[in-house]
Amino acid sequence: MTRLNEVMDKQPRLLSSKLFQKHRQVEVVLSRSVLYWKEIEKSRKRSSCTSRESETAHSHAVQVCEIVAVHKSEEDDQGDTKRGRLKKAKQQSQLYPHTFTVSYVRRTRQHQWRCSDVSFHCASQALCQQWIQVINEQLSLLTNRPKRLLVYINPYGGKQQGKRIYEQKVAPLFRRACISADVIVTECANHARDHLKTEANLDKYDGVVCVGGDGMFSEIVHGLVTRTQTDHGVDQSRADAELVPCSLRIGIIPAGSTDCICFGTVGTNDPVTSALHIIVGDSQPMDVCSVHHGDVFLRYSVSLLGYGFYGDVLTDSERKRWLGPARYDLSDRWSTIHGKFIAINAASMSCACPRSPKGLSPSAHLADGTTDLILVRKCSRLDFFRHLLRHTNKDDQFDHSFVEVHRVRTFRFQPFQKQLVSREDPSEPPKKKGFSPMCSGQTTCNYSKAHSSWSCDGEILKHAAIQVSVQCQLIRLFARGIEEQQKQ
């Protein structure tokens, strides 16, 4: 509260009035950055210490940049069931008949945001209109706020709740904040990507919003980045091309299975929280990895590029996709691995999610132009299980002799070629050189050229030999990174 008072003292007051709020007289002050109100004590015969405690307990402040909207409202006396309160409310409504309501961001637990309302009662219509006008003038100065959005909804992702989540939880908030939205419900895979690449008139929008999971977000990234490079004449098939950053920000309304990107940039997978970050116009730059096979562009990666264990787990899990989120648990099976590394992962962000609170690489930076290359060398199944188990808690998963991490801007990967011998012939033991796919203990591996699979943000790449380059701050999200938790 002391810090708030210092801010209020330094900034000139735009408005200051004695109004009523919840049948109590309050002093309401507006500066360029803060809306502040405190209850006016009836008795001033208190010690200075008690007065300070009282002021802290009955003072409230909202940053102007986190005000969602302000509007004129009608008097509401619901909840005043007692006769005395109802009589007092009627008397107040006669003396202060004009009311305006401020909607603002309120922080709750675990990084979640909610939209709260506070109503102030004025004696005159002119004063009420003045407060509404001045607050709206300050909001109009916040040029980072979007006015018009292009929204893509994936009706099939996750638990198939994307359309309902948007209509019931997000759209009402957008309307309250006077944000117009053009909504497209996707009909097939890559619908959003292809529409962004060719058809969408991006000049009339302030941002693109995806309602779905990480796969839907990947579609938006591929469509928007490709469209940007096309408009600027950049050949993205060249591995050494310097890509042009996207001008439009991307918003994520989580409605998928894991929603790793949303969790890692906001701190929670909550649609209302994400919608409020979009409304207040937050901006978080983010690196993107471009993946090539020679001069052939393969994909963009935002979160995790994994080879070996994670790629093979994903390949197997795709066969069980009908199971929904549980498929990841069922496909974490143990297999025999032949080669130097069990897993090679490139993490461009922490990859934190509710299942893994610190992620695969807790210190990975979102926008510093690097990716964390994590090499898990061949080890026992027990040791590897211990490594995986640490992803689910807060222990240091890199504190193993067989795990090493390198922070890189680019890397190339070329698998060794080898021939695996059938396990059915006990007279000739299998050779253990180079890389190979993960096979179950009883599987007969009889390939002339065997290698594992790369998983790129949940999609399987058809090439194992790749080159990866980090494109620094190629995109921006409607997010601000994970805030430090503060006492409410």
Side-chain angles (χ1 to χ4, degrees):
M1 185 57 63
T2 302
R3 184 178 178 183
L4 174 62
N5 288 334
E6 292 176 355
V7 172
M8 296 300 296
D9 291 339
K10 291 180 179 178
Q11 293 189 353
R13 297 186 175 191
L14 301 178
L15 273 180
S16 179
S17 303
K18 288 182 173 60
L19 308 175
F20 266 87
Q21 188 260 332
K22 287 187 177 179
H23 317 307
R24 298 188 300 267
Q25 192 174 30
V26 292
E27 180 185 6
V28 188
V29 179
L30 176 67
S31 71
R32 285 191 174 87
S33 62
V34 176
L35 174 67
Y36 169 78
W37 67 96
K38 67 176 180 179
E39 184 178 350
I40 298 175
E41 298 292 340
K42 294 182 179 180
S43 174
R44 305 229 178 232
K45 298 179 181 180
R46 300 184 180 183
S47 65
S48 59
C49 179
T50 305
S51 297
R52 284 195 298 269
E53 291 177 356
S54 176
E55 180 178 333
T56 301
H58 299 285
S59 300
H60 303 273
V62 175
Q63 295 186 62
V64 171
C65 64
E66 293 184 356
I67 293 177
V68 175
V70 58
H71 63 273
K72 195 174 189 307
S73 53
E74 298 297 328
E75 176 66 23
D76 185 1
D77 291 327
Q78 292 181 356
D80 292 313
T81 55
K82 292 185 178 181
R83 184 176 299 177
R85 288 185 179 178
L86 184 59
K87 182 178 180 181
K88 185 177 179 180
K90 288 182 177 179
Q91 292 175 348
Q92 177 196 311
S93 63
Q94 293 175 355
L95 295 174
Y96 296 85
H98 305 281
T99 307
F100 68 93
T101 299
V102 177
S103 302
Y104 63 95
V105 170
R106 177 175 57 87
R107 287 164 175 76
T108 61
R109 58 184 182 87
Q110 298 178 342
H111 305 287
Q112 290 189 357
W113 287 8
R114 288 295 177 263
C115 186
S116 291
D117 292 333
V118 57
S119 296
F120 298 105
H121 309 276
C122 309
S124 69
Q125 182 176 357
L127 182 60
C128 183
Q129 291 293 343
Q130 184 183 18
W131 272 97
I132 295 174
Q133 178 182 344
V134 176
I135 292 177
N136 276 326
E137 287 174 354
Q138 296 307 302
L139 295 181
S140 68
L141 298 176
L142 303 174
T143 56
N144 59 325
R145 292 195 171 195
K147 299 291 190 300
R148 189 169 186 179
L149 298 170
L150 177 58
V151 179
Y152 294 96
I153 300 177
N154 179 4
Y156 307 109
K159 298 180 181 179
Q160 302 182 358
Q161 297 295 311
K163 196 168 183 292
R164 181 191 65 82
I165 288 173
Y166 178 79
E167 291 176 347
Q168 295 184 8
K169 296 185 177 183
V170 179
L173 289 173
F174 283 175
R175 287 194 294 267
R176 189 184 304 187
C178 298
I179 295 176
S180 63
D182 292 338
V183 179
I184 296 177
V185 179
T186 58
E187 300 175 356
C188 59
N190 295 320
H191 181 175
R193 182 200 67 182
D194 296 340
H195 184 262
L196 279 170
K197 285 170 61 175
T198 57
E199 300 178 41
N201 181 8
L202 301 182
D203 293 335
K204 64 179 183 179
Y205 297 110
D206 302 309
V208 180
V209 175
C210 65
V211 183
D214 293 335
M216 186 63 172
F217 175 74
S218 181
E219 270 198 49
I220 300 298
V221 169
H222 280 80
L224 194 58
V225 171
T226 300
R227 175 67 173 273
T228 302
Q229 308 319 307
T230 301
D231 290 346
H232 288 82
V234 177
D235 183 4
Q236 65 179 0
S237 64
R238 291 176 44 207
D240 60 347
E242 184 176 346
L243 303 185
V244 178
C246 301
S247 59
L248 293 182
R249 283 169 289 175
I250 303 174
I252 309 173
I253 304 298
S257 300
T258 56
D259 302 306
C260 170
I261 309 298
C262 184
F263 191 91
T265 55
V266 175
T268 182
N269 289 334
D270 174 62
V272 171
T273 301
S274 294
L276 290 172
H277 277 281
I278 295 171
I279 289 171
V280 302
D282 280 342
S283 183
Q284 170 64 54
M286 195 171 186
D287 296 340
V288 176
C289 288
S290 58
V291 186
H292 290 77
H293 173 71
D295 289 330
V296 178
F297 169 74
L298 299 180
R299 285 188 68 84
Y300 291 113
S301 172
V302 177
S303 57
L304 178 66
L305 188 63
Y307 182 85
F309 177 79
Y310 292 99
D312 292 335
V313 163
L314 183 65
T315 301
D316 178 62
S317 74
E318 287 301 301
R319 304 187 190 102
K320 306 184 181 78
R321 195 169 184 88
W322 59 273
L323 290 172
R327 68 182 185 269
Y328 296 107
D329 294 333
L330 294 177
S331 302
D332 194 1
R333 60 180 175 80
W334 287 101
S335 303
T336 302
I337 186 75
H338 301 278
K340 289 184 178 181
F341 299 99
I342 295 179
I344 299 174
N345 301 315
S348 299
M349 57 184 298
S350 68
C351 299
C353 66
R355 296 171 182 265
S356 179
K358 297 189 71 175
L360 267 67
S361 187
S363 63
H365 198 283
L366 288 173
D368 67 347
T370 66
T371 187
D372 286 1
L373 186 61
I374 307 168
L375 308 179
V376 183
R377 294 187 176 276
K378 181 184 176 183
C379 60
S380 68
R381 292 185 177 186
L382 179 59
D383 281 343
F384 189 55
F385 177 74
R386 287 170 177 165
H387 169 66
L388 291 178
L389 188 62
R390 290 191 175 187
H391 291 154
T392 65
N393 55 44
K394 296 184 179 181
D395 294 336
D396 184 3
Q397 61 261 44
F398 300 148
D399 188 21
H400 294 290
S401 59
F402 53 88
V403 179
E404 55 188 272
V405 185
H406 304 274
R407 185 154 290 180
V408 300
R409 299 185 183 278
T410 184
F411 70 91
R412 294 178 179 177
F413 176 79
Q414 177 67 49
F416 290 154
Q417 309 262 336
K418 58 166 287 184
Q419 181 173 358
L420 296 179
V421 181
S422 171
R423 299 297 298 274
E424 296 178 348
D425 184 3
S427 62
E428 187 172 357
K431 298 178 182 179
K432 298 182 179 181
K433 296 181 180 179
F435 297 92
S436 65
M438 297 191 66
C439 308
S440 63
Q442 303 301 321
T443 300
T444 300
C445 300
N446 192 13
Y447 306 101
S448 60
K449 292 184 179 180
H451 52 71
S452 189
S453 300
W454 279 102
S455 165
C456 180
D457 292 351
E459 297 294 330
I460 301 299
L461 300 183
K462 59 183 179 181
H463 297 285
I466 62 173
Q467 177 176 334
V468 179
S469 301
V470 182
Q471 306 291 333
C472 186
Q473 302 186 12
L474 188 64
I475 61 174
R476 289 183 299 148
L477 306 185
F478 284 107
R480 63 175 61 177
I482 301 178
E483 294 183 315
E484 292 185 5
Q485 291 281 44
Q486 299 178 355
K487 293 183 180 180
Q488 299 299 319

